């Protein structure tokens, strides 16, 4: 594949790379992770000032009108620096849902704030029993005078501890796994009846369990048509998967670079261990996995904003499978080639491995997407 960036795309990539390199050294990243916020408010502000948050939004809402490719360039650099900020959750997923389902008034109010970085959102779609199935929703929404009343529990809401608003999926009708009857609501985390249990995830970010106890929201909190949100959820999760593949790509690239540098400098029996042929073969295997993941991440980026279709879904399922498989292989090989130092908390390779493991299980693991691909091939 001859994939060349335009001048504008190259400038965007250079801007993101320079910002991450200058503002996100590993030692500083650990301080961000241990803080109460769990990420850097200053770095988030810099992303907004440089227009990197605005990349995927239309110019009418203060954005740049970027495609999946531009999003890929930003996400790759954020992945390289192990960024803790909820860019994917707030900008790609939540912003995409509002852009697709929101009324003109909702989009005019919310999207410019998201694009500027002044409003962070989170998405609360998973539940303890759902296991990657967006249609498995037990949280209920009951229509009442002036709005809706929500009750239920949401699991692993990344960035939900600090979000100014949380998009919640809730069932307005039907059984817990029906394809219809699912609606989306924008919930204020400070509203009466909302509680959160905050915890760190294995890759250093913060997430929360979200509990809704008869939470009252207004009619204007509904996104789109009541009961028909599932198709939009699946479409926007596809965009998030493409962005996540790019995130993993940046982390895999950095893991390979760290490993190669280590093989060149670590000496044993008087020579660099990179001279040993068996280690060279394993390094080649890592690079092969990286090249395959790179091709699939690029392919996913090119279809991320395409019209919804089985072909798009197949491509995204294949990309997530290949990138997940590569992420696991590269993380394991990098740690083994480093030896004990690869597992130390003070060395950033261990944190890249944790991020890659987390990515491998978010939005569906490799088995889930392999099965999805097989089903889609049967209907092709």
């Amino acid at each position: 594949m001859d994939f060349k960036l335009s001048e504008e795309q190259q400038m965007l990539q250079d801007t993101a790379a320079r910002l991450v390199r200058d503002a996100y050294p590993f030692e500083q990243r650990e301080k961000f992770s241990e803080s109460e916020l769990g990420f850097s408010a200053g770095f988030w502000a810099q992303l907004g000032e440089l227009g990197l948050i605005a990349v995927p939004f239309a110019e009418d809402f203060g954005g740049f009108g970027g495609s999946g490719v531009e999003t890929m360039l930003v996400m790759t650099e954020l992945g390289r620096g192990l960024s803790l900020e909820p860019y994917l959750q707030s900008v790609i997923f939540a912003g995409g849902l509002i852009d697709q389902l929101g009324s003109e008034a909702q989009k005019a109010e919310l999207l410019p704030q998201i694009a500027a970085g002044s409003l962070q959102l989170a998405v609360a779609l998973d539940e303890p029993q759902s296991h990657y199935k967006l249609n498995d929703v037990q949280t209920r929404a009951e229509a009442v005078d002036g709005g809706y009343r929500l009750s239920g529990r949401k699991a692993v809401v990344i960035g939900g501890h600090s979000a100014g608003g949380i998009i919640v999926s809730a069932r307005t009708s039907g059984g817990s796994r029906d394809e219809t009857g699912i609606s989306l609501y924008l919930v204020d985390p400070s509203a009466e009846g909302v509680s959160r249990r905050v915890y760190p995830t294995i890759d250093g970010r913060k997430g929360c369990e979200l509990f809704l106890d008869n939470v009252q929201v207004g009619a204007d909190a509904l996104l789109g048509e009541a009961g028909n949100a599932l198709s939009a959820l699946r479409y926007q999760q596809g965009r998030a998967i493409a962005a996540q593949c790019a995130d993993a790509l940046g982390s895999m690239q950095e893991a390979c670079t760290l490993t190669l540098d280590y093989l060149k400098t670590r000496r044993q029996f008087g020579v660099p261990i990179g001279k040993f042929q068996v280690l060279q073969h394993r390094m080649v295997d890592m690079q092969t996995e990286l090249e395959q993941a790179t091709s699939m991440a690029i392919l996913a980026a090119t279809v991320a904003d395409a019209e919804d279709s089985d072909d798009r879904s197949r491509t995204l399922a294949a990309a997530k499978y290949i990138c997940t498989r590569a992420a696991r292989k590269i993380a394991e090989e990098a740690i083994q080639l480093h030896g004990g130092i690869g597992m130390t908390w003070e060395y950033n390779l261990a944190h890249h491995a944790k991020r890659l493991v987390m990515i491998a299980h978010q939005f569906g693991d490799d088995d889930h997407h392999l099965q999805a691909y097989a089903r889609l091939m049967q209907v092709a």
Side-chain angles (χ1 to χ4, degrees):
M1 180 185 295
D2 184 16
F3 184 75
K4 294 182 179 178
L5 300 178
S6 67
E7 184 178 350
E8 292 78 9
Q9 290 170 336
Q10 188 63 60
M11 290 176 59
L12 174 65
Q13 184 181 47
D14 292 344
T15 299
R18 186 166 53 252
L19 175 62
V20 172
R21 183 176 59 250
D22 294 344
Y24 232 92
F26 175 69
E27 296 77 11
Q28 194 64 38
R29 187 240 186 208
E30 289 307 284
K31 295 179 181 179
F32 297 154
S33 178
E34 294 167 1
S35 68
E36 182 178 354
L37 186 60
F39 59 87
S40 170
F43 182 72
W44 185 262
Q46 287 181 289
L47 288 173
E49 291 169 3
L50 292 172
L52 297 178
I53 294 178
V55 165
F57 299 108
E59 294 180 7
D60 292 344
F61 303 113
F64 290 163
S67 67
V69 174
E70 282 75 25
T71 298
M72 179 193 73
L73 299 176
V74 175
M75 288 298 301
T76 300
E77 297 307 323
L78 293 178
R80 196 188 308 277
L82 288 174
S83 166
L84 299 162
E85 286 67 32
Y87 190 99
L88 187 149
Q89 288 76 22
S90 179
V91 179
I92 308 301
F93 211 156
L97 286 170
I98 292 173
D99 191 35
Q100 182 174 351
L101 294 179
S103 65
E104 292 303 318
Q106 288 171 326
K107 289 191 284 188
E109 177 187 359
L110 298 172
L111 291 183
Q113 296 182 63
I114 300 173
S118 59
L119 174 64
Q120 284 183 9
L121 299 181
V123 287
L125 309 175
D126 295 327
E127 298 186 0
Q129 81 294 334
S130 59
H131 193 64
Y132 308 140
K133 294 181 175 64
L134 290 173
N135 60 300
D136 193 340
V137 178
Q138 295 183 3
T139 299
R140 307 295 300 191
E142 178 186 0
V144 296
D145 289 343
Y148 300 88
R149 183 164 55 232
L150 278 60
S151 295
R153 175 186 175 187
K154 293 294 181 178
V156 197
V157 185
I158 303 298
H161 67 292
S162 60
I166 302 178
I167 296 178
V168 175
S169 62
R171 185 167 292 283
T172 50
S173 64
S176 62
R177 295 187 178 181
D178 286 354
E179 298 271 312
T180 59
I182 299 172
S183 305
L184 291 179
Y185 302 90
L186 183 58
V187 176
D188 182 351
S190 63
E192 184 177 356
V194 178
S195 59
R196 292 171 285 187
R197 183 173 67 85
V198 181
Y199 50 80
T201 60
I202 64 170
D203 62 342
R205 292 180 291 178
K206 279 187 169 62
C208 71
E209 302 287 300
L210 181 69
F211 301 92
L212 306 168
D213 184 13
N214 292 320
V215 177
Q216 297 281 143
V217 298
D220 58 350
L222 175 67
L223 294 177
E225 183 181 353
N228 288 317
L230 186 59
S231 61
L233 279 175
R234 287 175 171 163
Y235 181 84
Q236 294 301 330
Q237 187 180 78
R239 293 180 67 246
I241 285 172
Q244 189 187 58
C245 288
D247 187 358
L249 180 62
S251 187
M252 285 188 280
Q253 289 172 346
E254 191 66 15
C256 286
T257 299
L258 290 168
T259 304
L260 184 59
D261 289 345
Y262 182 77
L263 295 182
K264 290 178 178 179
T265 56
R266 174 73 164 90
R267 300 179 69 86
Q268 194 170 15
F269 305 114
V271 297
I273 61 174
K275 293 285 188 179
F276 302 145
Q277 192 175 52
V278 66
L279 299 187
Q280 293 175 3
H281 290 168
R282 294 178 71 169
M283 191 70 227
V284 168
D285 289 341
M286 289 175 62
Q287 287 295 144
T288 301
E289 293 288 345
L290 178 60
E291 288 299 320
Q292 291 179 335
T294 300
S295 295
M296 292 307 295
I298 292 172
L299 182 58
T302 61
V303 304
D305 294 328
E307 291 186 7
D308 193 13
S309 66
D310 287 343
D311 186 55
R312 174 182 181 270
S313 298
R314 278 195 299 271
T315 299
L316 292 171
K320 184 64 160 69
Y321 171 76
I322 294 295
C323 289
T324 294
R325 187 191 66 181
R328 182 180 296 113
K329 175 72 172 178
I330 288 173
E332 292 173 352
E333 287 293 313
I335 288 176
Q336 288 197 13
L337 289 174
H338 273 81
I341 191 176
M343 293 296 292
T344 56
W345 191 259
E346 294 78 14
Y347 188 44
N348 56 352
L349 176 67
H351 297 266
H352 280 286
K354 289 173 180 289
R355 167 61 67 86
L356 292 172
V357 168
M358 184 75 173
I359 287 175
H361 291 278
Q362 194 175 15
F363 305 138
D365 57 18
D366 51 352
D367 287 339
H368 173 82
H369 286 283
L370 183 61
Q371 293 170 6
Y373 183 85
R375 288 195 301 269
L376 289 163
M377 285 302 294
Q378 290 176 354
V379 301

